[in-house]
Amino acid sequence: MVDFACKEFEIEAVIKCGLNLTKAELQILKYFLQYGQDWLTTESIAEELELNLSTVQRSVKKLYERKILIRSQNNMDGGGYFFVYKIRSKKDIHELIMEIVNSWVKRVDSELQSWADENQ
């Protein structure tokens, strides 16, 4: 838990809020963490988590765009391709979240400074 003055936060809530994740995206992130460095398809995730494939595809795309997942293209023999995904290291995700938290700190500092300046 993180204790911030008048409220405590579960670390999962900090991750969800910091990365701006939906409930499904957080569920998928946790699923990837469970499988470590295994490459996964959106189809296998949807089946295992009993989620709609389009929900998983959207969620995985967002996690990839946020640099939480790594994507690899697999070409099929008869033509076409599909993507597989795996999670970045917890260290990389930690650094990403800390960048976000530090940007919050800078913003709060700036807002407090503005507040102090206008009330002098």
Side-chain angles (χ1 to χ4, degrees), residues 42-57:
T42 53
E43 291 81 6
S44 66
I45 297 166
E47 184 178 319
E48 182 70 25
L49 296 179
E50 298 180 357
L51 294 171
N52 183 287
L53 179 59
S54 62
T55 299
V56 173
Q57 290 169 331

Side-chain angles (χ1 to χ4, degrees), residues 6 11 76 94 109:
C6 60
I11 194 63
M76 298 185 294
H94 170 266
D109 181 51

Side-chain angles (χ1 to χ4, degrees), residues 37 39 64 68-72 84-89:
Q37 291 300 301
W39 290 97
Y64 171 72
I68 297 166
L69 299 180
I70 300 167
R71 179 172 75 185
S72 179
V84 291
Y85 300 85
K86 72 176 178 177
I87 195 153
R88 292 186 183 274
S89 71

Side-chain angles (χ1 to χ4, degrees), residues 13-101:
V14 173
I15 292 168
K16 183 177 185 275
C17 181
L19 296 173
N20 192 25
L21 302 178
T22 65
K23 185 178 174 183
E25 291 161 353
L26 180 62
Q27 182 181 8
I28 291 167
L29 170 63
K30 289 166 49 177
Y31 184 77
F32 271 100
L33 287 169
Q34 179 183 349
Y35 280 88
Q37 291 300 301
D38 292 348
W39 290 97
L40 303 171
T41 65
T42 53
E43 291 81 6
S44 66
I45 297 166
E47 184 178 319
E48 182 70 25
L49 296 179
E50 298 180 357
L51 294 171
N52 183 287
L53 179 59
S54 62
T55 299
V56 173
Q57 290 169 331
R58 264 192 316 278
S59 297
V60 166
K61 181 180 180 202
K62 182 176 174 183
L63 293 170
Y64 171 72
E65 289 170 348
R66 296 265 166 93
K67 298 184 167 87
I68 297 166
L69 299 180
I70 300 167
R71 179 172 75 185
S72 179
Q73 179 176 313
N74 287 357
N75 297 321
M76 298 185 294
D77 291 336
Y81 62 90
F82 64 96
F83 292 117
V84 291
Y85 300 85
K86 72 176 178 177
I87 195 153
R88 292 186 183 274
S89 71
K90 282 187 175 181
K91 181 179 182 263
D92 289 343
I93 296 169
H94 170 266
E95 289 173 4
L96 176 65
I97 293 169
M98 287 309 301
E99 285 176 23
I100 294 165
V101 169

